[in-house]
């Protein structure tokens, strides 16, 4: 990674538009830092850059090309998920809680085992950094609960009219899909046109996400950051899921 920028606490990120791939052998890797410095995470998101690394690695900052995104209008609410939503809405013991369980949702995303995946990229440093964003009003959680117990959820980042999906988890079948269906319904209501999914996976593809060129993503980001009609603070409940029925 000899050509990658190593950032100190006062250094700015290279612009992905001007400096798309400093090291072609590691496509999408924009910069590296020893740690996540104060204010750095917020600046990164507003430039279309995000951290993704493992324990005992330096912080790796990415802006991949192409970029996986989910346009809320393209969300695939399959018949089986619609059936699950109907049961969810009719059960008074099942609820959606927004932003009141942020730490619990992030910890669950970090500790829930996933098929064909060893470990997690959600380190203690990541938890602390996103908790700071949450306290600033820029990171949000959607918790899916049954009898008051957390059974699924997701957390995301938002600036202006741009939403960046981070991680989901399920302790019950389709619980993470319920969380994503909730988020996409809210995004449609708020005229959010794109949810960043960062990197392509078969699971996201099955739900309607698709890759776009980095230039297209970054151009949309600059417009979305100026969007001012978004409801703040986030306030919605499970009734918003009726959008998909």
């Amino acid at each position: 990674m000899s050509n990658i920028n190593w950032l100190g606490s006062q250094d700015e990120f290279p612009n992905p538009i001007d400096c798309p791939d400093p090291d072609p052998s590691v496509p999408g890797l924009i910069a590296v830092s020893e740690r996540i410095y104060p204010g750095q995470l917020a600046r990164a998101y507003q430039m279309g850059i995000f951290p993704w690394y493992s324990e005992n690695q330096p912080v790796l900052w990415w802006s991949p090309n192409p970029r996986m995104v989910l346009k809320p209008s393209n969300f695939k609410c399959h018949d089986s998920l619609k059936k699950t939503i109907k049961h969810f809405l009719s059960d008074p013991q099942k609820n959606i809680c927004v932003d009141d369980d942020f730490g619990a949702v992030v910890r669950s995303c970090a500790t829930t085992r996933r098929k064909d995946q060893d470990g997690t990229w959600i380190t203690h440093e990541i938890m602390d950094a996103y908790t700071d964003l949450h306290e600033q009003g820029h990171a949000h959680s959607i918790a899916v609960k049954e009898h008051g117990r957390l059974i699924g959820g997701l957390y995301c980042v938002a600036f202006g009219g741009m939403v960046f999906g981070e991680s989901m988890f399920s302790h019950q079948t389709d619980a993470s899909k319920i969380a994503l269906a909730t988020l996409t319904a809210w995004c449609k209501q708020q005229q959010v046109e794109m949810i960043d999914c960062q990197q392509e996976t078969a699971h996201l593809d099955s739900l309607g996400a698709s890759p776009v060129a980095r230039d297209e993503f970054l151009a949309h980001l600059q417009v979305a950051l100026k969007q001012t009609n978004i409801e703040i603070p986030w306030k919605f409940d499970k009734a918003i899921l009726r959008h998909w029925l």
Side-chain angles (χ1 to χ4, degrees):
M1 297 190 295
S2 58
N3 297 321
I4 299 293
N5 290 273
W6 279 80
L7 305 179
S9 60
Q10 303 301 314
D11 293 332
E12 294 296 328
F13 287 99
N15 192 323
I17 296 174
D18 301 328
C19 179
D21 276 320
D23 188 339
S25 68
V26 194
L29 183 60
I30 293 294
V32 179
S33 61
E34 184 177 351
R35 56 181 290 255
I36 300 177
Y37 299 106
Q40 195 176 38
L41 193 58
R43 293 196 303 273
Y45 273 96
Q46 293 174 83
M47 294 180 69
I49 300 168
F50 61 88
W52 185 45
Y53 63 105
S54 299
E55 199 80 62
N56 301 318
Q57 282 186 328
V59 182
L60 306 178
W61 299 93
W62 301 85
S63 181
N65 187 21
R67 188 88 168 217
M68 194 70 166
V69 302
L70 174 59
K71 296 180 180 180
S73 57
N74 291 343
F75 177 66
K76 294 180 180 178
C77 191
H78 299 287
D79 289 344
S80 59
L81 181 55
K82 288 181 180 180
K83 184 177 180 180
T84 300
I85 288 174
K86 288 178 182 178
H87 285 303
F88 188 86
L89 288 170
S90 65
D91 188 339
Q93 299 302 325
K94 292 183 177 180
N95 290 292
I96 294 290
C97 296
V98 181
D99 277 348
D100 64 344
D101 281 305
F102 186 82
V105 170
V106 175
R107 286 191 298 274
S108 293
C109 287
T111 57
T112 300
R113 294 185 63 85
R114 293 169 173 82
K115 184 180 179 181
D116 301 324
Q117 181 177 321
D118 294 325
T120 177
W121 66 275
I122 304 173
T123 64
H124 290 292
E125 181 178 38
I126 285 285
M127 291 186 201
D128 290 344
Y130 283 87
T131 298
D132 287 345
L133 272 192
H134 172 63
E135 292 172 353
Q136 296 164 25
H138 291 299
H140 303 276
S141 63
I142 296 176
V144 182
K145 291 188 172 183
E146 182 178 42
H147 296 283
R149 182 175 62 89
L150 195 59
I151 61 171
L154 62 78
Y155 73 98
C156 59
V157 171
F159 285 93
M162 188 69 213
V163 173
F164 308 82
E166 286 304 313
S167 187
M168 303 187 293
F169 79 96
S170 280
H171 291 159
Q172 193 176 102
T173 302
D174 284 347
S176 63
K177 290 181 182 178
I178 288 285
L180 184 58
T182 303
L183 177 62
T184 52
W186 180 84
C187 284
K188 288 199 71 175
Q189 183 185 82
Q190 299 292 313
Q191 299 178 333
V192 171
E193 296 180 4
M194 184 181 290
I195 301 170
D196 177 33
C197 301
Q198 300 176 348
Q199 302 194 59
E200 187 168 2
T201 67
H203 179 62
L204 288 170
D205 181 73
S206 71
L207 294 172
S210 59
V212 298
R214 176 167 49 198
D215 288 351
E216 179 183 344
F217 172 79
L218 294 175
H220 173 80
L221 171 62
Q222 293 310 307
V223 173
L225 289 174
K226 300 172 184 175
Q227 192 173 337
T228 58
N229 63 300
I230 305 301
E231 179 185 45
I232 298 174
W234 286 19
K235 290 183 179 180
F236 50 93
D237 57 28
K238 70 178 185 177
I240 201 170
L241 286 164
R242 297 189 186 280
H243 172 84
W244 298 113
L245 301 181

